[in-house]
Amino acid sequence: MSGQHTDAALAENAGDSLDANWYIDKLFQGVMFVCGISAVLFVLGIFAFVFAEGAEFVIKTINWSQFLLSPRWAPTSDYNPTYGILALIAGTASITVLAMAVAVPFSLGAAIFIAEFAKGRTREVLKILIELLAAIPSVVWGFIGLAIMNPWIIETFDVPIGLNVLNCGLILGLMAAPIITSIAEDALKAVPDTYREASEALGASRWQTTARVVLPAAKNGLLAAVLLGVGRGFGETMAVLMASGHSINLPSSVFDSVRALTATIAAELGETAVGSEHYQALFTIGIFLFTITFIINMTADWIIRGSKKG
Amino acid sequence: MVNFALQAKEDQHPDGSAAPGSDAPVQLAVNKLEIRYGGMVALSGVSLDIRQNEIFGIIGPANSGKTSFLNAINRMDMMRSNMTVTGDIHFNGVDIRQWRNVYALRRQIGVVFPLPVGLPMTIYDNVALAPRLSGKNLSRQALDDLVERCLRRAALWDEVKDRLNSLGSLLSGGQQQRLTIARALSQEPKMLMLDEFSIAVDPVTTMRIEDVLKELRQEMTIILVTNLVQQAQRLAHRTAFFLNGECVEIGETEALFSGQVKDSRTQDYIEGKFG
């Protein structure tokens, strides 16, 4: 003990004292650690909660082949309640695929224009407009789908109902586009200007520079932008509920109405008895959504790591 | 006097060939050049002729307008919205403002930047990029030959020949700078502009690159912007001294460094009294 005491005294004498800065540094390291770790805790907490609510159904009641492969979602049937989410998966997937087919080319083009070609005022105005587009609440988009797109589709394509995959896909594409654009533009802006100058000094045209130097250098960020768009399409609820028609269907054309996984939870959860089989089935859909999102993110992460190594 | 004799000997070019005389054809004619960034004048009243196959040195402290001068020559002002260039620049007798295809102009003028920019692709692709983009459609064999020739001329071939397919950005700073020289040579330019190429390069590599430049000037005109006064002395046939946006003096390098200067500021800068 006395030896330690002497060592501390020696350290003090040599100027090695624990001053206020040292304690403040330790304190903030601790605070930042808690903030950083909290994200992990929240994700685990949400997963635990969702899983706990759906656990009984997953472990006891569920018939996996029926759950994943049956297109019949009839939870309120009196004599034979069936929980098949195939039609819901097909609904979500068809809407997301169409939305991405619309959004990805448009938003990548817009991002390239803003980051590489537009100058001064044009660029600033475009950026503000796109951010404005991203700020429109999803219920407004749903309203546009219901009130404007619906009659337009009925009239233009001569179909009985305008609330369908086409309507919902277009709306969702327009919703995802500003997000993809803005993240893709950030990715392009992160490519150092020295690359552009070096390339143009070699006599490469602006387009050649973009295609051969800037886009390959930004490909990870662009991929992340697209995947975030996919996530947006997958998770969007309100606009999808309003524009998709919300009817259980395996779509055979873009003019069929469909129902999405998220919309099903939103529409039905409020009407079920807490703890009932139906309630648990809805939470199982939540677990399913959670798992898919997790897989998408892990895939993105894996692709990005892979491309870094190469 | 002994000292002077030694210096004169050093000034002679190791390649043995004489400097292009004043009757040599003019590669680049600059007349009353002025460059502004918004309201700020970066360079004004520059008039000079650069002859074919000479190494033309430009010395001067930071902010003297050296880099702006190079940017004006290959029309990089187009990339900067607030940069305006007035006056005439004739390249091979043609006003560069009259070039309709600025990319074709840039293919004839190679540039090496102060900090090496290894583009994020393989060593091979770095060198092959410009020939591929120029639409010449070279065969694989011709492209291989071209890449090897450029890397050899940039004194990099022996170090990278076994790993042409690894990333250019993984090379060391000095190697990357030689890679950018190889890249600049890949279009067989008529003129090569180097902007303080040795800033991020060790002395040994600097000397190797200097030897490369002495070889290259047999085939092309070289503008060497440098903040190392001795580098200009070692390499340049003629040297211009830029200061605060003004071209103070242009003269034969040998004369300038032996005290035959018209302006005392040149003398002070060369002797290291400021800058």
Side-chain angles (χ1 to χ4, degrees):
Chain A
M1 283 306 270
S2 67
Q4 260 175 20
H5 181 76
T6 332
D7 283 353
L10 256 173
E12 292 275 347
N13 274 339
D16 175 19
S17 62
L18 303 180
D19 58 6
N21 282 338
W22 189 88
Y23 284 109
I24 291 171
D25 180 56
K26 286 282 169 222
L27 174 71
F28 274 91
Q29 276 189 28
V31 171
M32 294 307 138
F33 175 76
V34 171
C35 293
I37 211 81
S38 65
V40 179
L41 293 179
F42 285 133
V43 170
L44 288 178
I46 291 169
F47 186 75
F49 170 74
V50 173
F51 192 82
E53 294 295 321
E56 203 185 318
F57 186 85
V58 170
I59 296 162
K60 287 186 193 152
T61 327
I62 206 167
N63 174 345
W64 278 108
S65 66
Q66 188 195 57
F67 185 70
L68 290 174
L69 297 177
S70 161
R72 185 178 140 82
W73 174 260
T76 50
S77 170
D78 284 334
Y79 54 95
N80 182 23
T82 319
Y83 304 97
I85 63 168
L86 185 66
L88 310 182
I89 295 173
T92 291
S94 59
I95 294 164
T96 307
V97 166
L98 181 63
M100 288 306 115
V102 173
V104 169
F106 268 106
S107 21
L108 291 188
I112 290 171
F113 179 73
I114 293 173
E116 306 296 319
F117 293 93
K119 277 181 187 151
R121 240 189 139 67
T122 321
R123 164 187 285 177
E124 291 312 312
V125 170
L126 270 175
K127 280 183 74 166
I128 291 169
L129 283 178
I130 282 169
E131 271 156 32
L132 213 66
L133 212 58
I136 295 176
S138 61
V139 67
V140 174
W141 284 110
F143 180 76
I144 293 172
L146 214 56
I148 299 172
M149 299 281 289
N150 183 25
W152 178 75
I153 289 175
I154 291 175
E155 218 165 281
T156 313
F157 299 100
D158 195 23
V159 287
I161 185 160
L163 298 174
N164 49 27
V165 174
L166 179 65
N167 187 336
C168 195
L170 289 177
I171 291 287
L172 209 54
L174 288 173
M175 288 178 74
I179 293 165
I180 301 179
T181 305
S182 140
I183 295 170
E185 194 227 330
D186 285 346
L188 293 173
K189 278 284 119 196
V191 175
D193 270 341
T194 52
Y195 288 1
R196 296 182 181 86
E197 286 182 14
S199 169
E200 291 214 17
L202 285 170
S205 67
R206 182 61 63 89
W207 170 244
Q208 287 175 327
T209 300
T210 303
R212 299 295 291 269
V213 177
V214 178
L215 289 184
K219 66 173 183 291
N220 291 353
L222 297 178
L223 187 72
V226 170
L227 280 166
L228 246 110
V230 172
R232 181 89 169 104
F234 221 78
E236 173 52 38
T237 307
M238 184 48 79
V240 169
L241 180 62
M242 292 167 79
S244 66
H246 201 59
S247 73
I248 296 163
N249 227 334
L250 284 174
S252 57
S253 89
V254 291
F255 298 113
D256 286 344
S257 292
V258 290
R259 187 193 273 205
L261 291 160
T262 49
T264 305
I265 300 178
E268 294 180 5
L269 193 59
E271 297 164 13
T272 58
V274 174
S276 68
E277 206 168 78
H278 184 189
Y279 176 90
Q280 291 173 1
L282 290 176
F283 270 93
T284 309
I285 294 181
I287 296 171
F288 182 76
L289 277 170
F290 201 96
T291 313
I292 297 288
T293 323
F294 187 73
I295 291 171
I296 291 177
N297 282 340
M298 290 304 281
T299 314
D301 206 52
W302 178 69
I303 291 171
I304 288 167
R305 273 170 211 278
S307 70
K308 267 186 189 154
K309 252 183 237 160
Chain B
M1 279 299 103
V2 177
N3 201 3
F4 174 69
L6 259 175
Q7 186 144 15
K9 199 173 179 190
E10 267 176 20
D11 274 348
Q12 219 161 40
H13 270 258
D15 59 34
S17 62
S22 55
D23 54 338
V26 172
Q27 180 91 65
L28 187 82
V30 178
N31 194 20
K32 298 203 185 82
L33 180 71
E34 178 170 300
I35 300 170
R36 272 173 293 131
Y37 293 98
M40 195 201 74
V41 177
L43 191 67
S44 71
V46 176
S47 299
L48 51 85
D49 286 347
I50 294 173
R51 297 167 197 145
Q52 276 179 22
N53 294 74
E54 88 171 322
I55 299 185
F56 189 89
I58 300 177
I59 57 172
N63 282 323
S64 53
K66 308 186 298 285
T67 301
S68 299
F69 179 74
L70 298 188
N71 282 338
I73 292 171
N74 75 341
R75 300 288 326 265
M76 292 302 256
D77 55 307
M78 293 172 73
M79 288 183 79
R80 294 179 178 76
S81 50
N82 65 342
M83 179 174 170
T84 43
V85 179
T86 50
D88 297 329
I89 301 174
H90 283 76
F91 179 71
N92 277 344
V94 180
D95 186 345
I96 61 164
R97 256 144 232 294
Q98 304 299 320
W99 281 77
R100 285 162 306 164
N101 183 353
V102 65
Y103 308 119
L105 171 71
R106 289 184 188 147
R107 284 201 282 270
Q108 301 191 34
I109 304 177
V111 188
V112 175
F113 295 99
L115 298 175
V117 182
L119 291 173
M121 47 184 83
T122 67
I123 293 169
Y124 185 97
D125 288 342
N126 259 284
V127 183
L129 177 70
R132 276 175 180 157
L133 293 183
S134 68
K136 278 183 210 145
N137 242 334
L138 295 174
S139 70
R140 180 79 201 181
Q141 185 59 44
L143 203 57
D144 284 351
D145 291 346
L146 179 70
V147 168
E148 178 176 345
R149 191 164 69 245
C150 291
L151 285 169
R152 276 192 193 284
R153 285 164 89 192
L156 187 61
W157 174 254
D158 290 332
E159 289 162 54
V160 300
K161 63 183 174 203
D162 299 322
R163 48 176 173 142
L164 290 174
N165 286 321
S166 66
L167 273 178
S169 45
L170 295 179
L171 294 173
S172 76
Q175 288 172 327
Q176 280 199 46
Q177 194 58 299
R178 277 176 284 157
L179 179 62
T180 63
I181 291 176
R183 205 170 60 199
L185 296 175
S186 65
Q187 308 243 46
E188 324 225 304
K190 298 199 174 75
M191 188 163 84
L192 184 63
M193 309 197 294
L194 299 106
D195 189 1
E196 304 190 346
F197 74 86
S198 54
I199 241 175
V201 177
D202 66 283
V204 176
T205 311
T206 301
M207 296 315 289
R208 291 188 64 177
I209 296 177
E210 288 188 10
D211 288 339
V212 167
L213 296 180
K214 286 171 195 161
E215 292 281 323
L216 283 176
R217 81 112 180 144
Q218 313 276 3
E219 298 157 52
M220 61 191 72
T221 309
I222 295 175
I223 303 181
L224 176 75
V225 166
T226 177
N227 55 350
L228 303 175
V229 173
Q230 289 77 17
Q231 192 167 59
Q233 188 183 7
R234 285 193 295 267
L235 292 173
H237 301 106
R238 288 189 304 150
T239 299
F241 173 50
F242 282 22
L243 180 66
N244 295 330
E246 179 195 353
C247 177
V248 176
E249 187 159 355
I250 304 169
E252 302 290 330
T253 306
E254 210 171 310
L256 286 184
F257 281 85
S258 58
Q260 300 168 36
V261 294
K262 299 186 199 92
D263 195 302
S264 63
R265 288 174 294 174
T266 314
Q267 185 70 32
D268 289 349
Y269 184 71
I270 287 176
E271 287 177 357
K273 286 197 181 147
F274 74 96

